[in-house]
Amino acid sequence: GLSDFLVDGMRIKKRRHKPLVYGTTFIPPLVIVLFYPHAFIISLSDAGIFCLILLMLMPAMMAWQRRYRKNLNGNYRVWGGKPLLAIEIAIAVLLIATSIIVKIHAAN
């Protein structure tokens, strides 16, 4: 995916410039891993926080917004209503806060 993105961004032919494309794809991550080996694990933990926001917190907040703030009535509703959405939002916020606190304490 990254190599295709670079080919499109640099507006070059992939077949003619394979060493350039694959060099720009693989050499920077290789250099980062060689000189900073823990970068991958740190990046994964940061990505986990963003996944919690995008996959847990945002959908619950969007459902809450649509159901209870804009009063748009649709045909389809998941059971649980306000209590279930409130619990999901609370769990998401708790997990995000816990992850951030653990990262702060690990840095010290």
Side-chain angles (χ1 to χ4, degrees), residues 53-82:
I53 293 169
L54 287 174
L55 300 175
M56 192 170 178
L57 184 61
M58 292 294 290
M61 291 177 70
M62 288 188 300
W64 188 284
Q65 177 77 13
R66 180 184 159 113
R67 286 184 190 177
Y68 306 114
R69 301 250 347 226
K70 293 193 176 191
N71 295 322
L72 298 175
N73 294 323
N75 295 334
Y76 180 76
R77 282 198 178 200
V78 177
W79 63 273
K82 279 186 180 182

PDB file of all heavy atoms in Angstrom, residues 53-82:
ATOM      1  N   ILE A  53     -10.812   5.289  20.382  1.00  0.00           N
ATOM      2  CA  ILE A  53     -11.604   6.486  20.081  1.00  0.00           C
ATOM      3  C   ILE A  53     -12.475   6.263  18.851  1.00  0.00           C
ATOM      4  O   ILE A  53     -13.684   6.529  18.869  1.00  0.00           O
ATOM      5  CB  ILE A  53     -10.685   7.708  19.882  1.00  0.00           C
ATOM      6  CG1 ILE A  53     -10.007   8.070  21.204  1.00  0.00           C
ATOM      7  CG2 ILE A  53     -11.459   8.903  19.329  1.00  0.00           C
ATOM      8  CD1 ILE A  53      -8.883   9.075  21.073  1.00  0.00           C
ATOM      9  N   LEU A  54     -11.876   5.733  17.789  1.00  0.00           N
ATOM     10  CA  LEU A  54     -12.607   5.598  16.526  1.00  0.00           C
ATOM     11  C   LEU A  54     -13.619   4.462  16.515  1.00  0.00           C
ATOM     12  O   LEU A  54     -14.655   4.569  15.858  1.00  0.00           O
ATOM     13  CB  LEU A  54     -11.617   5.390  15.374  1.00  0.00           C
ATOM     14  CG  LEU A  54     -10.815   6.600  14.962  1.00  0.00           C
ATOM     15  CD1 LEU A  54      -9.773   6.217  13.925  1.00  0.00           C
ATOM     16  CD2 LEU A  54     -11.729   7.674  14.411  1.00  0.00           C
ATOM     17  N   LEU A  55     -13.325   3.367  17.197  1.00  0.00           N
ATOM     18  CA  LEU A  55     -14.178   2.189  17.079  1.00  0.00           C
ATOM     19  C   LEU A  55     -15.122   1.986  18.261  1.00  0.00           C
ATOM     20  O   LEU A  55     -16.054   1.191  18.165  1.00  0.00           O
ATOM     21  CB  LEU A  55     -13.310   0.943  16.903  1.00  0.00           C
ATOM     22  CG  LEU A  55     -12.424   0.956  15.664  1.00  0.00           C
ATOM     23  CD1 LEU A  55     -11.518  -0.264  15.642  1.00  0.00           C
ATOM     24  CD2 LEU A  55     -13.259   1.025  14.404  1.00  0.00           C
ATOM     25  N   MET A  56     -14.902   2.688  19.361  1.00  0.00           N
ATOM     26  CA  MET A  56     -15.773   2.501  20.517  1.00  0.00           C
ATOM     27  C   MET A  56     -16.464   3.795  20.940  1.00  0.00           C
ATOM     28  O   MET A  56     -17.674   3.833  21.096  1.00  0.00           O
ATOM     29  CB  MET A  56     -14.969   1.922  21.684  1.00  0.00           C
ATOM     30  CG  MET A  56     -15.804   1.441  22.810  1.00  0.00           C
ATOM     31  SD  MET A  56     -14.790   0.527  23.982  1.00  0.00           S
ATOM     32  CE  MET A  56     -16.033   0.148  25.183  1.00  0.00           C
ATOM     33  N   LEU A  57     -15.690   4.841  21.117  1.00  0.00           N
ATOM     34  CA  LEU A  57     -16.255   6.083  21.635  1.00  0.00           C
ATOM     35  C   LEU A  57     -17.083   6.830  20.576  1.00  0.00           C
ATOM     36  O   LEU A  57     -18.214   7.238  20.849  1.00  0.00           O
ATOM     37  CB  LEU A  57     -15.131   6.979  22.166  1.00  0.00           C
ATOM     38  CG  LEU A  57     -15.549   8.274  22.827  1.00  0.00           C
ATOM     39  CD1 LEU A  57     -16.407   8.002  24.052  1.00  0.00           C
ATOM     40  CD2 LEU A  57     -14.335   9.091  23.207  1.00  0.00           C
ATOM     41  N   MET A  58     -16.529   6.993  19.395  1.00  0.00           N
ATOM     42  CA  MET A  58     -17.215   7.781  18.363  1.00  0.00           C
ATOM     43  C   MET A  58     -18.566   7.189  17.938  1.00  0.00           C
ATOM     44  O   MET A  58     -19.545   7.928  17.851  1.00  0.00           O
ATOM     45  CB  MET A  58     -16.316   7.971  17.138  1.00  0.00           C
ATOM     46  CG  MET A  58     -15.114   8.855  17.401  1.00  0.00           C
ATOM     47  SD  MET A  58     -15.549  10.554  17.773  1.00  0.00           S
ATOM     48  CE  MET A  58     -16.132  11.094  16.194  1.00  0.00           C
ATOM     49  N   PRO A  59     -18.678   5.872  17.684  1.00  0.00           N
ATOM     50  CA  PRO A  59     -19.999   5.351  17.297  1.00  0.00           C
ATOM     51  C   PRO A  59     -21.060   5.539  18.385  1.00  0.00           C
ATOM     52  O   PRO A  59     -22.212   5.880  18.088  1.00  0.00           O
ATOM     53  CB  PRO A  59     -19.742   3.862  17.039  1.00  0.00           C
ATOM     54  CG  PRO A  59     -18.304   3.779  16.721  1.00  0.00           C
ATOM     55  CD  PRO A  59     -17.641   4.844  17.528  1.00  0.00           C
ATOM     56  N   ALA A  60     -20.664   5.340  19.642  1.00  0.00           N
ATOM     57  CA  ALA A  60     -21.627   5.531  20.729  1.00  0.00           C
ATOM     58  C   ALA A  60     -22.050   6.991  20.828  1.00  0.00           C
ATOM     59  O   ALA A  60     -23.232   7.294  21.031  1.00  0.00           O
ATOM     60  CB  ALA A  60     -21.024   5.055  22.044  1.00  0.00           C
ATOM     61  N   MET A  61     -21.100   7.897  20.670  1.00  0.00           N
ATOM     62  CA  MET A  61     -21.436   9.318  20.737  1.00  0.00           C
ATOM     63  C   MET A  61     -22.298   9.746  19.546  1.00  0.00           C
ATOM     64  O   MET A  61     -23.196  10.578  19.689  1.00  0.00           O
ATOM     65  CB  MET A  61     -20.166  10.159  20.829  1.00  0.00           C
ATOM     66  CG  MET A  61     -19.449   9.975  22.155  1.00  0.00           C
ATOM     67  SD  MET A  61     -17.907  10.876  22.251  1.00  0.00           S
ATOM     68  CE  MET A  61     -18.500  12.549  22.328  1.00  0.00           C
ATOM     69  N   MET A  62     -22.040   9.172  18.372  1.00  0.00           N
ATOM     70  CA  MET A  62     -22.860   9.501  17.205  1.00  0.00           C
ATOM     71  C   MET A  62     -24.283   8.984  17.382  1.00  0.00           C
ATOM     72  O   MET A  62     -25.251   9.674  17.020  1.00  0.00           O
ATOM     73  CB  MET A  62     -22.231   8.936  15.934  1.00  0.00           C
ATOM     74  CG  MET A  62     -20.985   9.666  15.512  1.00  0.00           C
ATOM     75  SD  MET A  62     -20.330   9.191  13.908  1.00  0.00           S
ATOM     76  CE  MET A  62     -19.998   7.478  14.110  1.00  0.00           C
ATOM     77  N   ALA A  63     -24.433   7.772  17.930  1.00  0.00           N
ATOM     78  CA  ALA A  63     -25.770   7.235  18.187  1.00  0.00           C
ATOM     79  C   ALA A  63     -26.505   8.100  19.200  1.00  0.00           C
ATOM     80  O   ALA A  63     -27.700   8.391  19.048  1.00  0.00           O
ATOM     81  CB  ALA A  63     -25.675   5.792  18.675  1.00  0.00           C
ATOM     82  N   TRP A  64     -25.803   8.515  20.257  1.00  0.00           N
ATOM     83  CA  TRP A  64     -26.407   9.385  21.269  1.00  0.00           C
ATOM     84  C   TRP A  64     -26.857  10.700  20.636  1.00  0.00           C
ATOM     85  O   TRP A  64     -27.959  11.179  20.887  1.00  0.00           O
ATOM     86  CB  TRP A  64     -25.406   9.655  22.385  1.00  0.00           C
ATOM     87  CG  TRP A  64     -25.984  10.383  23.549  1.00  0.00           C
ATOM     88  CD1 TRP A  64     -26.277  11.710  23.628  1.00  0.00           C
ATOM     89  CD2 TRP A  64     -26.377   9.816  24.792  1.00  0.00           C
ATOM     90  NE1 TRP A  64     -26.796  12.015  24.851  1.00  0.00           N
ATOM     91  CE2 TRP A  64     -26.873  10.869  25.588  1.00  0.00           C
ATOM     92  CE3 TRP A  64     -26.336   8.533  25.319  1.00  0.00           C
ATOM     93  CZ2 TRP A  64     -27.339  10.670  26.873  1.00  0.00           C
ATOM     94  CZ3 TRP A  64     -26.791   8.340  26.602  1.00  0.00           C
ATOM     95  CH2 TRP A  64     -27.289   9.389  27.365  1.00  0.00           C
ATOM     96  N   GLN A  65     -25.990  11.284  19.822  1.00  0.00           N
ATOM     97  CA  GLN A  65     -26.302  12.557  19.158  1.00  0.00           C
ATOM     98  C   GLN A  65     -27.550  12.425  18.283  1.00  0.00           C
ATOM     99  O   GLN A  65     -28.437  13.256  18.322  1.00  0.00           O
ATOM    100  CB  GLN A  65     -25.097  13.001  18.316  1.00  0.00           C
ATOM    101  CG  GLN A  65     -25.298  14.266  17.530  1.00  0.00           C
ATOM    102  CD  GLN A  65     -25.210  15.510  18.371  1.00  0.00           C
ATOM    103  OE1 GLN A  65     -24.770  15.481  19.500  1.00  0.00           O
ATOM    104  NE2 GLN A  65     -25.649  16.618  17.822  1.00  0.00           N
ATOM    105  N   ARG A  66     -27.595  11.361  17.514  1.00  0.00           N
ATOM    106  CA  ARG A  66     -28.717  11.195  16.597  1.00  0.00           C
ATOM    107  C   ARG A  66     -30.011  10.896  17.344  1.00  0.00           C
ATOM    108  O   ARG A  66     -31.068  11.418  17.025  1.00  0.00           O
ATOM    109  CB  ARG A  66     -28.430  10.079  15.616  1.00  0.00           C
ATOM    110  CG  ARG A  66     -29.570   9.879  14.656  1.00  0.00           C
ATOM    111  CD  ARG A  66     -29.343   8.731  13.741  1.00  0.00           C
ATOM    112  NE  ARG A  66     -30.628   8.311  13.233  1.00  0.00           N
ATOM    113  CZ  ARG A  66     -30.997   8.416  11.989  1.00  0.00           C
ATOM    114  NH1 ARG A  66     -30.176   8.910  11.114  1.00  0.00           N
ATOM    115  NH2 ARG A  66     -32.172   8.009  11.592  1.00  0.00           N
ATOM    116  N   ARG A  67     -29.937  10.054  18.355  1.00  0.00           N
ATOM    117  CA  ARG A  67     -31.151   9.643  19.057  1.00  0.00           C
ATOM    118  C   ARG A  67     -31.706  10.714  19.985  1.00  0.00           C
ATOM    119  O   ARG A  67     -32.909  10.958  20.014  1.00  0.00           O
ATOM    120  CB  ARG A  67     -30.890   8.404  19.901  1.00  0.00           C
ATOM    121  CG  ARG A  67     -30.763   7.149  19.136  1.00  0.00           C
ATOM    122  CD  ARG A  67     -30.607   6.007  20.118  1.00  0.00           C
ATOM    123  NE  ARG A  67     -30.242   4.785  19.435  1.00  0.00           N
ATOM    124  CZ  ARG A  67     -29.981   3.649  20.060  1.00  0.00           C
ATOM    125  NH1 ARG A  67     -30.037   3.613  21.385  1.00  0.00           N
ATOM    126  NH2 ARG A  67     -29.653   2.586  19.394  1.00  0.00           N
ATOM    127  N   TYR A  68     -30.823  11.322  20.780  1.00  0.00           N
ATOM    128  CA  TYR A  68     -31.314  12.112  21.899  1.00  0.00           C
ATOM    129  C   TYR A  68     -31.087  13.614  21.770  1.00  0.00           C
ATOM    130  O   TYR A  68     -31.692  14.383  22.505  1.00  0.00           O
ATOM    131  CB  TYR A  68     -30.686  11.601  23.200  1.00  0.00           C
ATOM    132  CG  TYR A  68     -30.924  10.124  23.371  1.00  0.00           C
ATOM    133  CD1 TYR A  68     -29.879   9.227  23.344  1.00  0.00           C
ATOM    134  CD2 TYR A  68     -32.217   9.633  23.523  1.00  0.00           C
ATOM    135  CE1 TYR A  68     -30.104   7.867  23.486  1.00  0.00           C
ATOM    136  CE2 TYR A  68     -32.448   8.274  23.649  1.00  0.00           C
ATOM    137  CZ  TYR A  68     -31.392   7.399  23.636  1.00  0.00           C
ATOM    138  OH  TYR A  68     -31.621   6.059  23.759  1.00  0.00           O
ATOM    139  N   ARG A  69     -30.222  14.038  20.884  1.00  0.00           N
ATOM    140  CA  ARG A  69     -30.001  15.481  20.737  1.00  0.00           C
ATOM    141  C   ARG A  69     -30.738  16.030  19.533  1.00  0.00           C
ATOM    142  O   ARG A  69     -31.266  17.123  19.581  1.00  0.00           O
ATOM    143  CB  ARG A  69     -28.502  15.782  20.609  1.00  0.00           C
ATOM    144  CG  ARG A  69     -27.702  15.309  21.784  1.00  0.00           C
ATOM    145  CD  ARG A  69     -27.122  16.308  22.702  1.00  0.00           C
ATOM    146  NE  ARG A  69     -27.094  17.670  22.289  1.00  0.00           N
ATOM    147  CZ  ARG A  69     -26.054  18.441  22.401  1.00  0.00           C
ATOM    148  NH1 ARG A  69     -24.924  17.983  22.863  1.00  0.00           N
ATOM    149  NH2 ARG A  69     -26.120  19.692  22.065  1.00  0.00           N
ATOM    150  N   LYS A  70     -30.754  15.273  18.444  1.00  0.00           N
ATOM    151  CA  LYS A  70     -31.424  15.754  17.237  1.00  0.00           C
ATOM    152  C   LYS A  70     -32.836  15.198  17.106  1.00  0.00           C
ATOM    153  O   LYS A  70     -33.571  15.586  16.216  1.00  0.00           O
ATOM    154  CB  LYS A  70     -30.612  15.384  16.009  1.00  0.00           C
ATOM    155  CG  LYS A  70     -29.301  16.116  15.940  1.00  0.00           C
ATOM    156  CD  LYS A  70     -28.668  15.996  14.602  1.00  0.00           C
ATOM    157  CE  LYS A  70     -27.404  16.840  14.608  1.00  0.00           C
ATOM    158  NZ  LYS A  70     -26.845  17.019  13.324  1.00  0.00           N
ATOM    159  N   ASN A  71     -33.177  14.246  17.961  1.00  0.00           N
ATOM    160  CA  ASN A  71     -34.507  13.639  17.977  1.00  0.00           C
ATOM    161  C   ASN A  71     -34.927  13.108  16.613  1.00  0.00           C
ATOM    162  O   ASN A  71     -36.041  13.327  16.158  1.00  0.00           O
ATOM    163  CB  ASN A  71     -35.554  14.621  18.508  1.00  0.00           C
ATOM    164  CG  ASN A  71     -35.308  14.975  19.945  1.00  0.00           C
ATOM    165  OD1 ASN A  71     -34.902  14.123  20.734  1.00  0.00           O
ATOM    166  ND2 ASN A  71     -35.532  16.223  20.312  1.00  0.00           N
ATOM    167  N   LEU A  72     -34.020  12.436  15.942  1.00  0.00           N
ATOM    168  CA  LEU A  72     -34.344  11.817  14.664  1.00  0.00           C
ATOM    169  C   LEU A  72     -34.774  10.379  14.933  1.00  0.00           C
ATOM    170  O   LEU A  72     -34.013   9.576  15.454  1.00  0.00           O
ATOM    171  CB  LEU A  72     -33.134  11.833  13.731  1.00  0.00           C
ATOM    172  CG  LEU A  72     -32.626  13.218  13.347  1.00  0.00           C
ATOM    173  CD1 LEU A  72     -31.357  13.102  12.525  1.00  0.00           C
ATOM    174  CD2 LEU A  72     -33.674  13.967  12.572  1.00  0.00           C
ATOM    175  N   ASN A  73     -35.966  10.062  14.605  1.00  0.00           N
ATOM    176  CA  ASN A  73     -36.477   8.718  14.847  1.00  0.00           C
ATOM    177  C   ASN A  73     -36.288   7.869  13.598  1.00  0.00           C
ATOM    178  O   ASN A  73     -36.785   8.201  12.537  1.00  0.00           O
ATOM    179  CB  ASN A  73     -37.960   8.761  15.226  1.00  0.00           C
ATOM    180  CG  ASN A  73     -38.178   9.452  16.551  1.00  0.00           C
ATOM    181  OD1 ASN A  73     -37.361   9.299  17.456  1.00  0.00           O
ATOM    182  ND2 ASN A  73     -39.249  10.218  16.665  1.00  0.00           N
ATOM    183  N   GLY A  74     -35.563   6.786  13.764  1.00  0.00           N
ATOM    184  CA  GLY A  74     -35.371   5.855  12.672  1.00  0.00           C
ATOM    185  C   GLY A  74     -36.102   4.555  12.959  1.00  0.00           C
ATOM    186  O   GLY A  74     -36.641   4.345  14.049  1.00  0.00           O
ATOM    187  N   ASN A  75     -36.126   3.679  11.990  1.00  0.00           N
ATOM    188  CA  ASN A  75     -36.808   2.401  12.162  1.00  0.00           C
ATOM    189  C   ASN A  75     -35.975   1.423  12.975  1.00  0.00           C
ATOM    190  O   ASN A  75     -36.517   0.555  13.648  1.00  0.00           O
ATOM    191  CB  ASN A  75     -37.128   1.783  10.803  1.00  0.00           C
ATOM    192  CG  ASN A  75     -38.120   2.630  10.030  1.00  0.00           C
ATOM    193  OD1 ASN A  75     -38.905   3.350  10.618  1.00  0.00           O
ATOM    194  ND2 ASN A  75     -38.063   2.550   8.721  1.00  0.00           N
ATOM    195  N   TYR A  76     -34.663   1.519  12.912  1.00  0.00           N
ATOM    196  CA  TYR A  76     -33.791   0.534  13.544  1.00  0.00           C
ATOM    197  C   TYR A  76     -33.160   1.101  14.806  1.00  0.00           C
ATOM    198  O   TYR A  76     -32.592   2.178  14.785  1.00  0.00           O
ATOM    199  CB  TYR A  76     -32.685   0.112  12.569  1.00  0.00           C
ATOM    200  CG  TYR A  76     -31.745  -0.896  13.156  1.00  0.00           C
ATOM    201  CD1 TYR A  76     -32.128  -2.208  13.282  1.00  0.00           C
ATOM    202  CD2 TYR A  76     -30.495  -0.516  13.604  1.00  0.00           C
ATOM    203  CE1 TYR A  76     -31.275  -3.140  13.840  1.00  0.00           C
ATOM    204  CE2 TYR A  76     -29.627  -1.435  14.155  1.00  0.00           C
ATOM    205  CZ  TYR A  76     -30.031  -2.747  14.269  1.00  0.00           C
ATOM    206  OH  TYR A  76     -29.180  -3.670  14.822  1.00  0.00           O
ATOM    207  N   ARG A  77     -33.294   0.356  15.891  1.00  0.00           N
ATOM    208  CA  ARG A  77     -32.653   0.738  17.157  1.00  0.00           C
ATOM    209  C   ARG A  77     -32.131  -0.508  17.837  1.00  0.00           C
ATOM    210  O   ARG A  77     -32.794  -1.533  17.874  1.00  0.00           O
ATOM    211  CB  ARG A  77     -33.628   1.415  18.097  1.00  0.00           C
ATOM    212  CG  ARG A  77     -33.888   2.839  17.728  1.00  0.00           C
ATOM    213  CD  ARG A  77     -34.486   3.557  18.889  1.00  0.00           C
ATOM    214  NE  ARG A  77     -34.667   4.944  18.502  1.00  0.00           N
ATOM    215  CZ  ARG A  77     -34.798   5.906  19.355  1.00  0.00           C
ATOM    216  NH1 ARG A  77     -34.786   5.650  20.632  1.00  0.00           N
ATOM    217  NH2 ARG A  77     -34.950   7.129  18.951  1.00  0.00           N
ATOM    218  N   VAL A  78     -30.954  -0.396  18.406  1.00  0.00           N
ATOM    219  CA  VAL A  78     -30.390  -1.472  19.202  1.00  0.00           C
ATOM    220  C   VAL A  78     -30.987  -1.380  20.593  1.00  0.00           C
ATOM    221  O   VAL A  78     -31.202  -0.290  21.115  1.00  0.00           O
ATOM    222  CB  VAL A  78     -28.850  -1.353  19.247  1.00  0.00           C
ATOM    223  CG1 VAL A  78     -28.247  -2.416  20.132  1.00  0.00           C
ATOM    224  CG2 VAL A  78     -28.291  -1.443  17.842  1.00  0.00           C
ATOM    225  N   TRP A  79     -31.235  -2.515  21.225  1.00  0.00           N
ATOM    226  CA  TRP A  79     -31.821  -2.509  22.566  1.00  0.00           C
ATOM    227  C   TRP A  79     -30.842  -1.890  23.562  1.00  0.00           C
ATOM    228  O   TRP A  79     -29.656  -1.892  23.348  1.00  0.00           O
ATOM    229  CB  TRP A  79     -32.216  -3.920  22.988  1.00  0.00           C
ATOM    230  CG  TRP A  79     -31.046  -4.843  23.088  1.00  0.00           C
ATOM    231  CD1 TRP A  79     -30.500  -5.585  22.090  1.00  0.00           C
ATOM    232  CD2 TRP A  79     -30.236  -5.082  24.229  1.00  0.00           C
ATOM    233  NE1 TRP A  79     -29.417  -6.275  22.541  1.00  0.00           N
ATOM    234  CE2 TRP A  79     -29.224  -5.991  23.845  1.00  0.00           C
ATOM    235  CE3 TRP A  79     -30.256  -4.627  25.544  1.00  0.00           C
ATOM    236  CZ2 TRP A  79     -28.252  -6.442  24.740  1.00  0.00           C
ATOM    237  CZ3 TRP A  79     -29.292  -5.075  26.424  1.00  0.00           C
ATOM    238  CH2 TRP A  79     -28.305  -5.982  26.013  1.00  0.00           C
ATOM    239  N   GLY A  80     -31.357  -1.403  24.631  1.00  0.00           N
ATOM    240  CA  GLY A  80     -30.514  -0.863  25.695  1.00  0.00           C
ATOM    241  C   GLY A  80     -30.731   0.611  25.921  1.00  0.00           C
ATOM    242  O   GLY A  80     -30.632   1.078  27.054  1.00  0.00           O
ATOM    243  N   GLY A  81     -30.988   1.351  24.877  1.00  0.00           N
ATOM    244  CA  GLY A  81     -31.267   2.774  25.004  1.00  0.00           C
ATOM    245  C   GLY A  81     -30.159   3.588  25.657  1.00  0.00           C
ATOM    246  O   GLY A  81     -28.972   3.299  25.495  1.00  0.00           O
ATOM    247  N   LYS A  82     -30.552   4.610  26.412  1.00  0.00           N
ATOM    248  CA  LYS A  82     -29.604   5.504  27.064  1.00  0.00           C
ATOM    249  C   LYS A  82     -28.662   4.791  28.025  1.00  0.00           C
ATOM    250  O   LYS A  82     -27.470   5.090  28.041  1.00  0.00           O
ATOM    251  CB  LYS A  82     -30.341   6.624  27.800  1.00  0.00           C
ATOM    252  CG  LYS A  82     -30.783   7.746  26.926  1.00  0.00           C
ATOM    253  CD  LYS A  82     -31.362   8.873  27.770  1.00  0.00           C
ATOM    254  CE  LYS A  82     -31.822  10.009  26.885  1.00  0.00           C
ATOM    255  NZ  LYS A  82     -32.340  11.131  27.658  1.00  0.00           N
TER     256      LYS A  82
END
